């Protein structure tokens, strides 16, 4: 459907037709791809706790110290009403101002100690919070690097960024902040408050505790609602981040086809529902807070009336009444604070589940532990009845090919014939669904993945460069490279001539995906990067397509030089670039239809002869 929509827009350029299609489709026709773990499911609190607790083991001594200091800090807060009670029941009746001064001086010293211990405890706990968030983000990001291309093709980079560092992990951070600053402190204060209440009046303490049970039911009810809404909000926020990233990257195309109006409409139509989802979360949280506050007033009123009756009956003193009401308010305040954290926990639980969804994602490229590369490597690759399909569509259909060490092989054929997929299989970016690929007789799935891939140097048709300096882009593939090695690689790729003329030469920042360089310059930097790694095998995917004729001739001669004594795979569309290779494979619909040298295939009837004839026109 998208192709029809896009074609209609490109052919007509009529804004009215474009707008009607947007209305009919809702948004840009983007497929929402969810893994099986994205499906709606019930919350499992214990599962989340069991998976998170091991990350906190290394901080147990920080917890012990913070716990001691928090207990002291929390225990001093409930003492406040006792000072008031003592002054009311002792200093005032005796008209002893000096006694009041002594009591309040001790109170001030105690509170200053409370502030110091509270600061130390919270500093330790805040460090643990930041370390836990860091560990979660690192765990998810590392897992993303391990997952295969199938996973990364399902999600946009913006979606994955938002999930790793954005809304999803932020919700976890908000909860941890509430937990360490509210739950720990309130929990300790609540225990001390109960003890003091019990000391003052057991009957009133039982009444206050029995009425506090209402908080639990309210929190459980609203917590489940907030978790459900937050999970949906996080998913939609991830998707919006991915879509907006995609649109910003396509700004050149948007301006070229005057698509600004359409893009703004999509932004509005996607962002406003997300804002409403956020509003639902905040309104539900607000209802929880107001419900808890209402119950607090109700409890306070009942306790005040009952204490008044006890004072009238001379069962308790006025000072005891004032102290108990203060403790009751403190107790209900702690319970209310703990109840309100249900909102942040609901959001955090949804965020944690989504982070663990990525961690639990299964890669189609399995990595076997304790595998080693052969001591002696000849470099003979072979495909044995290899089949591969993507989304149930066959791409490679029963390929069996042997590649000799040092052989240069061109892979040609019409678009969709399986050329790039064959390269991806050789690089083990995918694994065959049937059959196997062998290196010197060993299944490459039985070799260490990183060591196997390091055998290859790759130059793609549209090479990716990091938003960094030219020097760092080369250093990234070989961190121990010297200045001399990097310069030699740039010179051999005929890149040093333009690099030396840039502002800062190799310290020049290339911009996002090399946007500050021309296509030909990016290509030569990519070739230099490949040369720097000195690989056993080379892969070129139209490596000179972005170069002018003069640069192409220079780079082509350098490519031919570095091809010496290496196994080389060249994906080619311009057949003039593969005249000197040892062997040409012609793929069509995932099958090998021709195999031979250029001279052999150009003479015999077949697909290659037809493609060669077209390229000469």
């Amino acid at each position: 459907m998208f192709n029809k929509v896009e074609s209609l827009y490109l052919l007509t350029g009529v804004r009215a037709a474009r707008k009607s299609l947007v209305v009919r489709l809702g948004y840009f026709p983007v497929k929402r791809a969810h893994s099986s773990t994205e499906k709606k499911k019930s919350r499992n609190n214990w599962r989340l706790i069991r998976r998170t607790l091991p990350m906190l083991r290394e901080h147990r001594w920080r917890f012990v110290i913070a716990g001691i200091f928090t207990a002291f800090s929390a225990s001093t807060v409930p003492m406040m009403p006792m000072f008031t009670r003592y002054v009311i029941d002792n200093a005032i009746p005796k008209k002893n101002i000096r006694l009041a001064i002594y009591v309040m001086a001790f109170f001030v010293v105690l509170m200053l100690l409370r502030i110091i211990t509270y600061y130390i405890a919270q500093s330790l706990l805040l460090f643990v919070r930041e370390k836990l968030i860091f560990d979660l983000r690192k765990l998810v990001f590392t897992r993303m690097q391990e997952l295969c291309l199938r996973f990364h093709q399902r999600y946009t980079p913006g979606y994955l960024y938002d999930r790793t560092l954005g809304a999803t992990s932020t919700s976890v951070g908000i909860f941890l902040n509430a937990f360490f600053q509210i739950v720990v402190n309130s929990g300790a204060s609540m225990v001390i408050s109960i003890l003091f209440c019990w000391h003052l009046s057991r009957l009133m303490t039982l009444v206050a505790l029995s009425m506090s049970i209402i908080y639990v039911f309210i929190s459980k009810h609203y917590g489940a609602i907030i978790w459900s809404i937050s999970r949906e909000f996080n998913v939609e926020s991830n998707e919006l981040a991915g879509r907006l990233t995609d649109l910003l990257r396509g700004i050149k195309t948007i301006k070229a086809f005057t698509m600004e109006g359409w893009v703004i409409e999509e932004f509005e139509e996607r962002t406003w529902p997300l804002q409403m989802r956020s509003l639902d979360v905040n309104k539900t949280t607000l209802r929880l807070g107001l419900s808890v506050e209402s119950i607090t007033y109700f409890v306070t009123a009942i306790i005040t009336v009952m204490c008044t009756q006890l004072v009238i009956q001379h069962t308790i003193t006025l000072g005891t009444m004032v102290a108990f009401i203060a403790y009751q308010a403190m107790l209900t305040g702690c319970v209310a604070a703990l109840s309100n954290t249900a909102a942040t926990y609901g959001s955090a639980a949804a965020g944690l589940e989504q982070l663990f969804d990525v961690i639990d994602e299964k890669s189609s490229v399995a990595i076997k532990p304790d595998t080693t590369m052969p001591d002696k490597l000849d470099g003979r690759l072979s495909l044995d009845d290899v089949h591969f399909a993507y989304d149930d569509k066959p791409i490679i259909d029963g390929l069996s090919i042997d590649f000799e060490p040092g052989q240069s092989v061109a892979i040609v054929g019409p678009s969709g014939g399986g050329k790039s997929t064959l390269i991806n299989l050789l690089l083990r970016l995918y694994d065959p669904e049937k059959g196997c690929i062998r290196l010197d007789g060993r299944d490459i799935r039985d070799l260490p993945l990183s060591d196997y891939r390091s055998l290859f140097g790759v130059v793609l048709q549209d090479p990716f460069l990091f938003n960094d300096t030219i020097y760092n882009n080369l250093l990234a593939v070989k961190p121990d490279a010297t200045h001399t090695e990097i310069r030699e690689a740039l010179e051999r790729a005929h890149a040093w001539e333009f690099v030396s003329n840039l502002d800062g030469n190799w310290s020049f920042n290339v911009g996002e995906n090399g946007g500050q360089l021309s296509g030909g310059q990016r290509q030569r930097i990519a070739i230099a990067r490949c040369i720097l790694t000195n690989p056993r095998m080379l892969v070129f995917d139209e490596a000179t397509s972005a170069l002018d004729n003069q640069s192409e001739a220079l780079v082509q001669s350098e490519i031919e030089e570095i091809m010496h004594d290496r196994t080389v795979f060249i994906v080619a569309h311009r057949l003039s670039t593969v005249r000197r290779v040892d062997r040409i494979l012609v793929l069509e619909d995932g099958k090998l239809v021709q195999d031979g040298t250029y001279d052999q295939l150009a003479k015999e009837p077949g697909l290659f002869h037809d493609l060669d004839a077209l390229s000469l026109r």
Side-chain angles (χ1 to χ4, degrees), residues 178-441:
F179 180 83
F180 290 143
Q181 291 191 1
I182 298 175
V183 175
V184 174
N185 195 60
S186 296
S189 296
M190 185 174 67
V191 172
I192 302 298
S193 297
I194 291 173
L195 293 176
F196 276 110
C197 285
W198 187 259
H199 170 72
L200 294 172
S201 175
R202 296 183 179 183
L203 173 63
M204 299 304 297
T205 302
L206 292 175
V207 172
L209 289 176
S210 63
M211 299 188 70
S212 298
I213 297 176
I214 301 174
Y215 294 118
V216 177
F217 290 103
I218 293 175
S219 300
K220 185 175 181 181
H221 171 70
Y222 282 107
I225 296 174
I226 292 169
W227 169 80
S228 178
I229 299 174
S230 296
R231 183 172 178 84
E232 286 299 317
F233 174 81
N234 286 344
V235 171
E236 292 174 14
S237 176
N238 297 155
E239 290 181 345
L240 178 63
R243 185 57 180 157
L244 293 182
T245 302
D246 189 45
L247 292 176
L248 291 173
R249 286 183 173 179
I251 191 66
K252 187 175 181 180
T253 300
I254 291 170
K255 290 187 174 299
F257 290 98
T258 64
M259 298 166 64
E260 292 89 346
W262 193 1
V263 169
I264 292 171
E265 287 178 8
E266 183 187 4
F267 175 83
E268 293 174 352
E269 292 172 348
R270 285 201 167 198
T271 304
W272 181 243
L274 186 63
Q275 297 300 124
M276 290 297 96
R277 183 81 69 179
S278 177
L279 179 63
D280 288 341
V281 175
N282 291 322
K283 285 174 65 177
T284 305
T285 303
L286 181 62
R287 286 196 295 270
L288 170 61
L290 293 177
S291 299
V292 169
E293 185 176 346
S294 300
I295 298 300
T296 301
Y297 296 147
F298 182 68
V299 173
T300 301
I302 293 177
I303 294 297
T304 302
V305 171
M306 294 182 68
C307 283
T308 302
Q309 179 64 29
L310 292 175
V311 172
I312 293 173
Q313 295 174 349
H314 301 288
T315 304
I316 61 174
T317 64
L318 180 60
T320 299
M321 173 182 171
V322 172
F324 189 89
I325 291 176
Y327 281 125
Q328 177 271 326
M330 194 178 297
L331 173 61
T332 54
C334 291
V335 175
L338 293 173
S339 300
N340 287 330
T341 56
T344 55
Y345 176 73
S347 298
L352 276 173
E353 283 190 342
Q354 291 181 309
L355 291 174
F356 287 132
D357 283 348
V358 176
I359 295 170
D360 294 338
E361 186 79 33
K362 301 298 182 184
S363 176
S364 62
V365 177
I367 301 176
K368 292 185 178 180
D370 302 324
T371 56
T372 58
M373 293 292 288
D375 295 332
K376 182 181 179 182
L377 192 65
D378 293 328
R380 181 175 289 99
L381 281 168
S382 60
L383 282 73
D384 184 8
D385 191 29
V386 169
H387 294 255
F388 181 81
Y390 191 76
D391 288 339
D392 297 325
K393 179 183 177 182
I395 305 296
I396 298 294
D397 187 10
L399 281 185
S400 294
I401 311 171
D402 294 323
F403 301 105
E404 295 299 323
Q407 190 177 57
S408 58
V409 181
I411 305 169
V412 304
S415 297
K419 302 184 296 297
S420 296
T421 302
L422 174 56
I423 293 298
N424 289 335
L425 289 168
L426 289 173
L427 291 171
R428 214 189 159 204
L429 299 177
Y430 299 121
D431 275 341
E433 296 180 353
K434 181 183 176 183
C436 68
I437 301 174
R438 294 187 175 89
L439 176 65
D440 292 344

Side-chain angles (χ1 to χ4, degrees), residues 424-489:
N424 289 335
L425 289 168
L426 289 173
L427 291 171
R428 214 189 159 204
L429 299 177
Y430 299 121
D431 275 341
E433 296 180 353
K434 181 183 176 183
C436 68
I437 301 174
R438 294 187 175 89
L439 176 65
D440 292 344
R442 287 183 60 180
D443 193 326
I444 62 174
R445 289 171 290 198
D446 296 329
L447 300 175
L449 183 60
S450 59
D451 290 344
Y452 171 75
R453 284 186 185 156
S454 65
L455 298 175
F456 292 85
V458 184
V459 180
L460 303 176
Q461 182 176 6
D462 185 19
F464 176 83
L465 298 180
F466 296 102
N467 187 4
D468 205 335
T469 64
I470 293 174
Y471 182 87
N472 286 340
N473 266 280
L474 270 67
L475 197 66
V477 299
K478 189 179 179 183
D480 59 346
T482 63
H483 287 18
T484 302
E485 290 174 324
I486 290 177
R487 175 159 180 171
E488 287 178 354

